[in-house]
Amino acid sequence: MNEAVMLNSNLNGNIEDIKRRMGGSDDLVIRPFRMGKSARREVAICYIDGLTEEKSIFQFIMEPVMARGRSPGGADPEEEGLLEEIKDSVLSVGQLKELERLDAAVEAMMNGSVIFLVDGYRRGFEISMAGWEHRAVTEPSNQTVIRGPKEAFTENIRVNSALIRRIVKNPSLQLQNRTVGRSTKTNVSVMYIRGLADEQAVEEVNRRLSAIDTDAILESGYIEEFIQDEPYSLYPTIQNTERPDTVAAALLEGRVALLIDGTPHVLMVPALFVQFFQAAEDYYQRADISTLIRVLRYFGLFIASLGPGLYIAITTYHQEMLPTQLLISLAAQREGVPFPAFIEALIMEATYEVLREAGIRMPRAVGQAVSIVGTLVIGQAAVEAGIISASMIIVVSITAISSYVIPEFDMSIAVRITRFLFMGLAAAFGLFGIFVGINALLLHLSSLRSFGVPYMAPVGPFVVSDQKDVILRVPHSRMKTRPRFFGSRNLIRQGKKPKNPAGKGS
Amino acid sequence: MLIVPIFTGCWDRRELNELGISMAMGIDKAGDEYRVSIQVVQPGAVAQKTGGGIESTPVSLFESKGVTIFEALRRMTNTSPRKIYSAHLRFVVFGEEMAREGIGDTLDLLSRDNEFRKDFYLLVAKGTTAASLLSILTPLEKIPANKIYRSIDMSEKSWAPTTAVTLDDFIEDMASKGKQPVLGVIEVLGDGQQGNSPKSVQRVRPSVQIRTAGLAAFRDDKLIGWLNEEESIGYNFILNKIKSMVDHVACPAGGNVALETTHSKAEIKGRVAEGRARLKIKLNVEQNVGEVQCRLDLTQPDSLDELERLSQKSLEELVYRTLEKVQTEYKADIFGFGSAIHRSAPKSWRTVMNDWEENFEHAQVDVDATVRIKRNGTITNPITEEKGET
């Protein structure tokens, strides 16, 4: 990589160097031609086939250069001002940079730029003409809403940053580009709002990004695993979303967003436990409904993590806790079931997980078949055959459904894994085990930090003013301050609520 | 930390289908031993969705004998395939013979063992053994123990001829100097032998039925006599345990009026005067007119006043009759008059405390009832009356 890094003044030499760099790859297009009507000066453009908009190259580079370029020849190969003249009055393009280094030229081509070289000069131009096929902006497939914007990010980082900027038209919205990954040279943009985001957090993000030394960044998950605080915790400390409005809201709370080229998922840091229970729609629906749904989600969290565990513990250790009638009907269902409750639960949970995984991985065309087999065979037949008790099916299904009321997938995965831990504890120690487990879990969660912010904030440490957006979702007119924990210096979100929005009376 | 799970033996683990859920326990005396019978639920038969196959009885009875109850319970595993699980016990019933000999010794296990909750009722089986009572099937409620439990609950709430006594209540009264315990009573109607087959329940009028039958008066832990329905109501009036009750008074013009008691408050004041215990029971009762079977103009305040007076009188007589029976016949202070004197006149209590039994017999009790009739239902005058007017 070190030899011949600078361009030299011989055009053919440069072309040879570039070819050699690319290893004679066939998608490298090199087009030498002559400049101006007199056509004495040799020039060349190089680009990678498929990464550029070829029409624009012909229209805005080749045509003007051929038609209007002044072409003094021979005697003074390095005529002063010729390049400047081309730049200033010939090339009708927007993004243009001068370059002197060969490796920079190659890298620019990889990003869809056209390299313009002139014979006799040690410098050239890098003209951005990137234009490749990419997916259009579509509806989000995972984080859907009933009310609210229906745009989702795409795989193109510039489209994504534009989507965000279209929502937040604040000039303080900063975007810093960098590339990560030695081979992939993936573009990563760090976005934040200056004055709202904690400068230290931004610095920390940049520091962690710089520390990544890897071959490939293919998706946001790579970055997440490299920069998260506690790689071995089950619980996510970085949030991701495919919704531009969610990112905009995060930026306005003083958080930092990480856009990664090639994926529609944008990372947001710091991420707190409670934020994984806030869906975008909470803020678009009425406050009272949203509050109710928040309560429902925490209830869902409770069931999803403890459901089968509690069932096992109560039916195998603490039968006295059940009302007599319930106990008798549960006992009746268990008549003839060959396995202990724990094994029964494990079988059903494992079956469910297999069904779920199969549902995601399998070709769409066979999806129907699996769901029919899953519900009919596993559900009904297992009960009728007396292998599994009906109540266990109920418990497992409710648990499975409950885990999906958690809006963030990362969190619901974590909850699913904890469920198995609790089942084990329940089978071995009963309710005692479950409560010890809950304590251990709370200790663990409280010990986590996400980019310097306590993970359980604002519950522990408790901040009264931030309770407005934890279980409650107070009306927007009451959300006067931004969350405290993101180090924002500008806490005030809005002015006073208009006393009488209807404008009647006084 | 990682080793901990390996060393757990799951020692307390019981699958639901390894449990014999016992709903009722009966204790009888058999010579020097106790005969313990347990009514165990057959979950399959109780929670049966559709009929079909051989119908088994919803409960089975297991019996065993032992010098102590604990032994007898454990010996039961000889006959029962499952471990007896007693946390859902509804009541413990004592045979009459057993109750007359004294039940105090049996209560220790019931309060000592951690598997027993302390909220089950204690009952006495009148004229029969506990075992034969527990082997009777009942209609409506598949589990006989539940049926008895509900009967006691319901009749305590709406009719008041019985009272639900839990283990703790009984022990407290037994230990108290100024009060003797009572227990609820159940008896068998019909030929008990037929009751243990589902055939009995398959008839519209079951050949055998179990019903509650007043109260049993105890002196310490020994049964000394029964209170019939009326006396039990009187007992409940004095002890302030009336939740709802229906009584009738005779109209001046012939016929009867049924009155529903909705609220009753009794205050007992006790003192010792001239060496004799004197008690004053003040009853404050609210009633509704429930049924009128005589010519009575309820729109007139006078007739309501008259009704109140009549009701007052009948109530006082009821209480006096109860008192007389208990004072002269059983001579056991089941009303807690001793405690009442202790509360209102602690010093004089000491003078009568030691031979309280005799003092109780000769105690002078005044009853003063105040009845107020509040409502008279959705119609005012009896139907016959209205017809006469138009």
Side-chain angles (χ1 to χ4, degrees):
Chain A
M1 283 293 261
N2 287 328
E3 31 94 44
V5 283
M6 305 304 285
L7 293 170
N8 56 43
S9 56
N10 182 340
L11 181 65
N12 287 326
N14 282 335
I15 289 174
E16 284 311 309
D17 280 346
I18 290 176
K19 273 187 179 162
R20 206 170 46 246
R21 266 296 162 92
M22 296 291 293
S25 189
D26 287 337
D27 57 353
L28 173 68
V29 179
I30 295 173
R31 171 74 164 86
F33 58 99
R34 285 173 185 275
M35 183 158 65
K37 293 217 170 72
S38 51
R40 270 185 299 210
R41 179 76 71 171
E42 269 192 278
V43 297
I45 52 173
C46 321
Y47 58 91
I48 307 238
D49 199 10
L51 295 185
T52 52
E53 282 183 66
E54 286 201 310
K55 255 188 198 163
S56 307
I57 297 175
F58 307 147
Q59 198 174 346
F60 302 113
I61 302 176
M62 288 178 74
E63 199 185 307
V65 171
M66 283 178 171
R68 281 180 277 142
R70 201 168 54 83
S71 194
D76 187 6
E78 285 197 47
E79 187 188 317
E80 276 299 312
L82 181 62
L83 278 186
E84 279 65 33
E85 196 186 310
I86 296 173
K87 184 167 85 176
D88 293 345
S89 54
V90 177
L91 290 172
S92 50
V93 293
Q95 286 190 41
L96 185 144
K97 268 201 289 196
E98 273 190 36
L99 50 81
E100 293 176 345
R101 294 162 60 94
L102 188 67
D103 51 348
V106 172
E107 202 181 314
M109 282 197 302
M110 297 299 176
N111 280 322
S113 291
V114 175
I115 306 300
F116 183 84
L117 297 169
V118 182
D119 187 33
Y121 289 89
R122 292 177 175 279
R123 294 172 291 160
F125 296 134
E126 166 199 338
I127 304 157
S128 183
M129 281 279 166
W132 55 81
E133 292 303 314
H134 53 77
R135 206 163 56 90
V137 175
T138 52
E139 279 195 30
S141 52
N142 302 329
Q143 296 170 319
T144 50
V145 292
I146 291 173
R147 181 176 177 179
K150 296 208 161 69
E151 276 178 342
F153 288 123
T154 69
E155 282 76 10
N156 185 326
I157 190 169
R158 285 290 76 84
V159 172
N160 293 352
S161 62
L163 284 172
I164 297 169
R165 227 183 240 287
R166 257 181 38 210
I167 300 174
V168 186
K169 300 181 188 74
N170 185 340
S172 309
L173 176 59
Q174 303 286 303
L175 189 147
Q176 296 165 353
N177 282 331
R178 63 193 307 145
T179 60
V180 185
R182 284 198 305 266
S183 286
T184 59
K185 302 222 185 316
T186 309
N187 283 320
V188 174
S189 298
V190 178
M191 279 183 107
Y192 63 96
I193 296 180
R194 203 196 301 127
L196 291 186
D198 186 3
E199 297 292 338
Q200 278 178 319
V202 177
E203 226 168 79
E204 181 66 20
V205 169
N206 279 319
R207 196 184 60 75
R208 292 190 193 180
L209 283 176
S210 313
I212 299 175
D213 177 23
T214 182
D215 205 22
I217 298 291
L218 298 182
E219 212 278 329
S220 61
Y222 285 56
I223 300 265
E224 179 172 340
E225 287 197 355
F226 276 115
I227 67 172
Q228 68 190 342
D229 288 69
E230 199 71 55
Y232 295 109
S233 172
L234 287 177
Y235 286 81
T237 49
I238 294 177
Q239 198 184 352
N240 71 69
T241 183
E242 47 173 3
R243 301 184 56 86
D245 51 334
T246 304
V247 175
L251 292 171
L252 288 166
E253 279 184 348
R255 296 162 75 195
V256 182
L258 283 160
L259 284 66
I260 292 112
D261 203 13
T263 176
H265 295 280
V266 170
L267 302 181
M268 294 172 288
V269 292
L272 308 183
F273 184 77
V274 296
Q275 283 170 332
F276 291 89
F277 295 87
Q278 302 169 341
E281 191 160 358
D282 291 1
Y283 302 92
Y284 307 144
Q285 294 284 11
R286 298 177 50 84
D288 37 15
I289 304 286
S290 303
T291 301
L292 210 66
I293 289 174
R294 287 263 171 94
V295 173
L296 197 74
R297 284 199 198 117
Y298 286 104
F299 184 64
L301 165 73
F302 178 78
I303 295 183
S305 44
L306 297 181
L310 281 177
Y311 180 80
I312 293 170
I314 290 175
T315 58
T316 54
Y317 288 92
H318 313 280
Q319 292 93 351
E320 60 274 8
M321 283 177 68
L322 293 166
T324 311
Q325 289 299 327
L326 183 60
L327 175 70
I328 291 171
S329 77
L330 287 182
Q333 288 173 31
R334 275 202 58 84
E335 292 290 326
V337 173
F339 306 112
F342 175 59
I343 302 295
E344 207 187 342
L346 268 189
I347 292 175
M348 278 322 288
E349 285 290 343
T351 314
Y352 161 70
E353 292 293 328
V354 168
L355 278 175
R356 196 192 56 79
E357 184 62 18
I360 300 173
R361 293 311 144 213
M362 87 202 132
R364 262 177 214 158
V366 287
Q368 288 277 318
V370 167
S371 55
I372 290 170
V373 169
T375 47
L376 287 185
V377 176
I378 312 298
Q380 253 178 302
V383 174
E384 271 171 30
I387 297 168
I388 306 287
S389 66
S391 47
M392 183 56 80
I393 303 265
I394 297 173
V395 169
V396 170
S397 339
I398 289 181
T399 310
I401 297 168
S402 296
S403 67
Y404 291 110
V405 301
I406 301 170
E408 297 283 336
F409 191 63
D410 285 4
M411 184 54 86
S412 74
I413 296 173
V415 168
R416 283 216 317 268
I417 299 173
T418 19
R419 178 197 305 161
F420 285 95
L421 298 180
F422 277 118
M423 277 162 60
L425 283 173
F429 306 97
L431 279 187
F432 172 74
I434 289 189
F435 285 108
V436 169
I438 290 176
N439 276 324
L441 183 65
L442 283 179
L443 284 175
H444 169 68
L445 287 176
S446 310
S447 75
L448 288 180
R449 281 175 168 264
S450 175
F451 288 80
V453 180
Y455 192 49
M456 290 307 278
V459 180
F462 190 78
V463 177
V464 178
S465 66
D466 283 2
Q467 296 302 313
K468 60 185 181 290
D469 198 16
V470 177
I471 289 177
L472 296 176
R473 202 286 275 169
V474 301
H476 289 298
S477 53
R478 299 273 165 206
M479 289 210 192
K480 290 215 176 79
T481 56
R482 295 175 214 282
R484 280 178 168 272
F485 275 99
F486 306 125
S488 171
R489 281 160 298 166
N490 180 4
L491 272 176
I492 304 302
R493 205 197 294 255
Q494 61 202 358
K496 271 187 190 150
K497 181 194 175 196
K499 278 251 168 59
N500 187 349
K504 281 186 228 147
S506 63
Chain B
M1 275 293 280
L2 289 172
I3 300 171
V4 173
I6 301 167
F7 285 120
T8 62
C10 305
W11 58 276
D12 207 13
R13 214 182 112 246
R14 302 160 294 204
E15 292 296 333
L16 282 181
N17 42 5
E18 291 163 6
L19 289 181
I21 304 163
S22 83
M23 299 295 288
M25 182 196 278
I27 303 176
D28 289 306
K29 200 90 188 184
D32 287 342
E33 295 189 318
Y34 290 107
R35 187 156 65 114
V36 178
S37 34
I38 296 275
Q39 198 176 74
V40 175
V41 179
Q42 304 224 28
V46 174
Q48 219 163 35
K49 277 154 253 161
T50 47
I54 312 147
E55 247 186 68
S56 57
T57 53
V59 291
S60 331
L61 196 71
F62 293 108
E63 286 179 74
S64 66
K65 288 179 186 168
V67 177
T68 61
I69 296 183
F70 202 37
E71 277 174 281
L73 275 176
R74 283 293 163 93
R75 188 166 289 151
M76 211 163 275
T77 46
N78 288 345
T79 48
S80 155
R82 298 179 179 180
K83 188 176 176 297
I84 302 299
Y85 176 68
S86 311
H88 283 269
L89 203 68
R90 283 292 156 92
F91 61 84
V92 173
V93 60
F94 298 97
E96 180 172 348
E97 199 187 326
M98 164 90 206
R100 289 202 186 272
E101 279 181 37
I103 59 173
D105 294 338
T106 64
L107 301 179
D108 186 82
L109 171 84
L110 299 182
S111 43
R112 193 183 296 279
D113 196 302
N114 63 5
E115 199 172 87
F116 290 98
R117 293 187 197 187
K118 308 297 177 262
D119 65 346
F120 53 84
Y121 297 160
L122 296 183
L123 298 169
V124 179
K126 188 176 179 181
T128 180
T129 60
S132 55
L133 188 129
L134 287 184
S135 56
I136 291 171
L137 290 178
T138 54
L140 232 53
E141 283 283 348
K142 278 187 172 171
I143 303 168
N146 261 351
K147 130 74 193 156
I148 295 168
Y149 185 85
R150 295 252 164 90
S151 295
I152 293 168
D153 251 13
M154 281 318 291
S155 71
E156 187 188 22
K157 270 187 194 127
S158 57
W159 179 226
T162 187
T163 186
V165 181
T166 63
L167 178 68
D168 286 345
D169 295 339
F170 188 84
I171 290 175
E172 195 186 313
D173 287 353
M174 209 174 80
S176 157
K177 273 210 147 155
K179 191 171 186 299
Q180 295 293 351
V182 294
L183 284 187
V185 177
I186 41 177
E187 64 180 358
V188 179
L189 284 182
D191 177 11
Q193 287 304 312
Q194 286 177 24
N196 61 20
S197 142
K199 285 202 185 87
S200 153
V201 209
Q202 277 165 1
R203 299 164 54 165
V204 177
R205 296 175 64 177
S207 44
V208 188
Q209 283 195 315
I210 301 175
R211 72 162 188 195
T212 60
L215 293 171
F218 277 71
R219 179 178 296 122
D220 296 331
D221 66 335
K222 291 188 180 61
L223 172 71
I224 46 168
W226 314 105
L227 298 184
N228 64 20
E229 192 174 282
E230 194 192 61
E231 290 151 5
S232 303
I233 292 175
Y235 172 85
N236 279 336
F237 263 115
I238 298 172
L239 279 233
N240 223 344
K241 282 184 176 166
I242 300 276
K243 291 188 185 95
S244 172
M245 202 277 289
V246 178
D247 198 5
H248 70 268
V249 292
C251 275
N256 288 310
V257 175
L259 293 169
E260 181 194 10
T261 302
T262 53
H263 187 85
S264 164
K265 178 105 183 90
E267 262 179 79
I268 309 178
K269 284 260 159 62
R271 64 196 169 94
V272 180
E274 297 151 19
R276 195 173 168 201
R278 282 159 205 277
L279 290 125
K280 199 169 168 60
I281 303 174
K282 267 180 94 169
L283 276 175
N284 262 311
V285 179
E286 278 177 20
Q287 292 184 318
N288 291 340
V289 176
E291 188 180 344
V292 182
Q293 293 183 343
C294 60
R295 297 183 73 82
L296 190 65
D297 187 1
L298 287 174
T299 52
Q300 297 297 318
D302 284 354
S303 47
L304 281 181
D305 287 348
E306 179 65 17
L307 266 185
E308 283 177 359
R309 252 195 313 282
L310 287 168
S311 172
Q312 235 155 270
K313 209 168 146 238
S314 95
L315 207 63
E316 281 169 11
E317 277 166 10
L318 171 77
V319 174
Y320 275 129
R321 276 200 301 277
T322 312
L323 286 170
E324 199 189 314
K325 173 142 181 200
V326 175
Q327 275 183 302
T328 57
E329 208 174 304
Y330 301 145
K331 305 181 179 77
D333 180 13
I334 56 174
F335 305 110
F337 287 161
S339 305
I341 295 177
H342 192 176
R343 275 196 300 274
S344 43
K347 275 182 192 154
S348 39
W349 167 242
R350 288 178 209 289
T351 63
V352 291
M353 184 171 79
N354 289 328
D355 46 356
W356 173 238
E357 211 145 280
E358 198 168 319
N359 277 308
F360 170 72
E361 193 188 338
H362 299 111
Q364 187 202 331
V365 187
D366 294 318
V367 182
D368 178 17
T370 315
V371 174
R372 274 183 304 159
I373 293 177
K374 289 274 185 177
R375 282 169 288 269
N376 47 17
T378 51
I379 54 172
T380 45
N381 279 339
I383 300 164
T384 47
E385 190 82 354
E386 304 213 336
K387 195 177 171 188
E389 280 171 6
T390 47

